[in-house]
Every structure is written in C-alpha cells, then in structure tokens.
Amino acid sequence: MAEQTIHAANTRPASVIEVRGLDNRFGSHVVHKNLDLDLVKGEILGVVGGSGTGKSVLLRSIVGLLKPSAGRIRVFGKDLDELSAAERSQTEQRFGVLFQRGALFTSLNLLQNISLPLIEHCDLSRPDAEELAHMKLALTGLPADSALKYPSELSGGMVKRAALARALAMDPEVLFLDEPTAGLDPIGAAAFDKLIVTLRDALGLTVFLVTHDLDTLYTTCDRVAVLSQKKVLVADSIENVAATDDAWIQNYFQGPRGRAASYAFRAQDTRRLPE
C-alpha cells in the first residue's frame, strides 16, 4: 500500500503554477484575500465567478501584469518575486495571453501583429518572423489571405483567432485566455472551444481559462475553479463543482442555462482529456 501511495504521488501531474495566500487590494477595496490555486500541467482550468470576484485580476497577477498586495506565486517551480528582471522576462515568455478584447494593434495588419513579438524577443529577421506568423495564423484556422488584413476588417471570431495566433507566436507552455468566446455567436463559440482543446492536445499546452460561458466550461475544461468570498471556493471537476452546496454555484450551474449546457454535454460527450 505504501509503495502504491508513493507511486501515485510520483505520477501525479506537476503544478506549473502555484498561488498561495494571494491578496489583491485597490485602496480599501479587497478583491482577493488569502487565495490559493494550482494549475496542473496539461489541464484546461476554467475560472468562474460572479461580477467583481477578480477573475481577470487573478490572471493579470499570475502573468506579471499586476503586483499582488501579498502572497506568493510560483511558476515552473520558481517564485516570481525572487527572479531577476532577465529571469522574469524569460519566464514570462513561456506564457501566451489572449486578452478579453483581443488587444491587437489596430495600426498593424495580422502578419505584423504576430511577427512583432518574434522580432522583438527572439531576434528573428522579418522574413523568418513573418514565415512563422503565417504558420500561427494557419494553426488557428485563419485563411492565408487574412494575413494582410487589419483588425478593423475582421469579424469577431476572426479577431479572437488572430489574437490566439499572437498568443501562440512564441510557442508558450501555458496559455491564458480571458473570456475568449465573449461576443461570439453560438456556432463561432463552439468552433473556438473545439480549437482550444485541439491545440491543447496537439501542442501539449496548459490552459488557464477565464470564462462565464457554461458551454465552454462543459466542453473544454478538466477542472473548474470558482472565485467567491475573495478566494477560490472550490476547484474540482465540473460535476463536483456543480454539486457544491453554495448559493451562487447552484444558481449558476443549476439554473436554466446551466442545465441546458449540462444536458447538451452529456448528450454529445465530446470532451477530450489529456493523457
């Protein structure tokens, strides 16, 4: 029995991100208090919560865009606060981030948007960077002729895919997605959900996904973390989370939309889990 326990501990996927005792305050307003969370290698973790629970604030804290008021964030086994500026920059380059509204440079076409980080951070020539940019656009399902288009010329779904291509530009190990299907029609959202799972499986990504979309949670996520009461109230499989005795969770998962998403998922059962 002891040997089996040791073996199980050794084969458990490693946590690529560990958040411990995180506090985030803005003046007298406390967003997070003593928040703990782990992101396990190879999983898609969905992060949900009511308005004002700090889902995007948590994401920005982890990727280094916001310094927490207190607490510790370990990434790839290293404490972010203990890294030098150069080490921190190298670590953060292992992240890819898709922001809520895409955050593409409106004055640059898609080819320029995606090749820019490759030129700045990887010291690639423009022709080499643009060749890789074409590959990233193709990887996200965008047609070849979209490369020379500007963000204003794209549909909402194409903007999301272009922003995803830029997030993948430097071959990240961890992908952060902030409301990736917000504003998309149901068909476009479903296609984007499928794309995320396909890319996770094909590229071995670990995904931190902030969303309010119940269909996305059911079809893509291996675990769901619920932010409530300034902390992570529960982080578990969606089935266990949906059964948690909490008023907000019950309203969210057991309301009409939650029941519809659960029924559709059970009917199709198309989710693919990492090996």
Side-chain angles (χ1 to χ4, degrees):
M1 180 64 71
E3 290 181 357
Q4 291 177 349
T5 302
I6 292 173
H7 177 72
N10 289 338
T11 58
R12 182 181 178 182
S15 293
V16 294
I17 293 174
E18 301 174 7
V19 180
R20 296 292 182 270
L22 186 74
D23 289 4
N24 274 309
R25 302 185 187 91
F26 299 94
S28 60
H29 178 56
V30 179
V31 178
H32 301 134
K33 179 67 175 176
N34 200 31
L35 183 151
D36 295 340
L37 183 64
D38 288 274
L39 180 63
V40 177
K41 182 176 176 61
E43 76 171 341
I44 300 178
L45 174 69
V47 179
V48 301
S51 178
T53 54
K55 301 179 292 294
S56 296
V57 170
L58 176 59
L59 183 154
R60 293 172 67 86
S61 297
I62 295 172
V63 301
L65 294 175
L66 176 66
K67 184 174 177 57
S69 305
R72 178 170 58 86
I73 299 175
R74 289 179 62 83
V75 179
F76 307 115
K78 300 178 180 179
D79 193 321
L80 284 182
D81 286 338
E82 296 177 358
L83 299 179
S84 66
E87 290 172 328
R88 185 171 182 131
S89 177
Q90 290 177 349
T91 298
E92 291 171 354
Q93 287 177 31
R94 298 167 72 179
F95 296 156
V97 185
L98 189 160
F99 294 101
Q100 190 167 354
R101 293 178 177 82
L104 296 170
F105 293 109
T106 57
S107 61
L108 302 180
N109 62 35
L110 298 193
L111 193 65
Q112 293 167 331
N113 262 287
I114 297 164
S115 60
L116 182 62
L118 293 167
I119 294 170
E120 288 189 346
H121 298 293
C122 300
D123 199 27
L124 292 180
S125 66
R126 184 170 296 278
D128 287 344
E130 290 184 349
E131 182 178 353
L132 284 173
H134 278 294
M135 294 173 58
K136 302 301 180 182
L137 287 169
L139 192 64
T140 59
L142 285 170
D145 63 2
S146 66
L148 299 181
K149 292 184 177 180
Y150 289 82
S152 62
E153 301 176 278
L154 305 177
S155 67
M158 293 179 72
V159 167
K160 297 285 188 179
R161 288 174 183 261
L164 178 60
R166 189 179 64 180
L168 294 171
M170 297 177 63
D171 297 327
E173 297 170 50
V174 183
L175 187 61
F176 292 86
L177 308 175
D178 193 357
E179 298 284 5
T181 58
L184 299 185
D185 63 80
I187 295 174
F192 199 90
D193 290 342
K194 183 177 180 181
L195 174 62
I196 294 303
V197 176
T198 299
L199 291 174
R200 186 278 302 273
D201 293 346
L203 303 178
L205 296 169
T206 303
V207 182
F208 182 103
L209 169 62
V210 172
T211 187
H212 68 279
D213 191 324
L214 282 152
D215 289 322
T216 296
L217 291 175
Y218 274 100
T219 58
T220 68
C221 295
D222 304 309
R223 288 194 305 140
V224 174
V226 178
L227 299 190
S228 181
Q229 302 170 31
K230 302 180 174 59
K231 61 183 181 181
V232 174
L233 187 64
V234 59
D236 207 332
S237 68
I238 194 166
E239 294 82 6
N240 289 340
V241 169
T244 300
D245 185 15
D246 174 80
W248 186 88
I249 290 176
Q250 289 303 304
N251 286 334
Y252 185 71
F253 286 99
Q254 306 302 337
R257 291 186 178 183
R259 293 196 301 272
S262 177
Y263 176 80
F265 170 69
R266 290 198 304 272
Q268 298 180 27
D269 195 20
T270 57
R271 181 173 54 180
R272 297 163 62 195
L273 300 177
E275 296 180 359

